[in-house]
Amino acid sequence: QVQVVESGGGLGQAGGSLRLSCVASGVTRCMYDMGWFRQSPGKERELVGHIVRGGSAVYTDSVKGRFTISRESGDDKNTLDLQMNNLKVEDTAVYFCQVVWFCGVVYSSGSGADIWGKGIPVTVAS
């Protein structure tokens, strides 16, 4: 079993910074991919960025140069942080941490299970 819990966020100002953290507890070798998604009212959930185990962070175009994702692996938990700089009003959303759970040897698209946190709201004021 794995538990995914987000923290941080809250209210920020345009041009300011906020930081989100995600702790995923469980069998860490099975946490193949970890990422941040966000969902604004009336919109579909979208990928902010993600890091595959042993890889580099990949970001959606709208946050490149402003957001930084970092991942740390431990014995019984992994952490995924999202540093958000130069915030924009359009960054306002509920942010979700996702873990792609895969315990096999060779990963292929769709072979893992998506595990989500409950989400944490971020509001950016102008």
Side-chain angles (χ1 to χ4, degrees):
Q1 288 289 340
V2 59
Q3 286 188 321
V4 180
V5 179
E6 304 103 334
S7 62
L11 177 64
Q13 297 292 321
S17 299
L18 285 173
R19 188 176 184 88
L20 304 182
S21 292
C22 170
V23 177
S25 302
V27 181
T28 57
R29 67 174 180 85
C30 295
M31 298 177 189
Y32 176 75
D33 192 1
M34 296 182 69
W36 286 100
F37 287 71
R38 65 186 181 186
Q39 187 167 17
S40 303
K43 295 186 177 181
E44 293 186 356
R45 191 173 299 187
E46 64 170 356
L47 174 69
V48 175
H50 71 107
I51 301 181
V52 172
R53 185 177 59 224
S56 300
V58 177
Y59 303 93
T60 192
D61 286 346
S62 62
V63 307
K64 284 181 181 177
R66 300 189 298 121
F67 289 12
T68 302
I69 291 176
S70 58
R71 174 174 175 172
E72 290 191 9
S73 299
D75 290 338
D76 58 356
K77 66 179 181 181
N78 282 352
T79 59
L80 188 76
D81 290 338
L82 177 65
Q83 177 65 42
M84 303 184 288
N85 297 329
N86 191 20
L87 287 165
K88 301 179 179 180
V89 173
E90 50 264 41
D91 294 323
T92 296
V94 177
Y95 284 70
F96 298 88
C97 181
Q98 181 212 45
V99 174
V100 176
W101 185 260
F102 176 71
C103 301
V105 177
V106 179
Y107 178 83
S108 59
S109 180
S111 60
D114 296 340
I115 302 171
W116 295 90
K118 293 182 178 180
I120 191 164
V122 169
T123 302
V124 182
S126 59

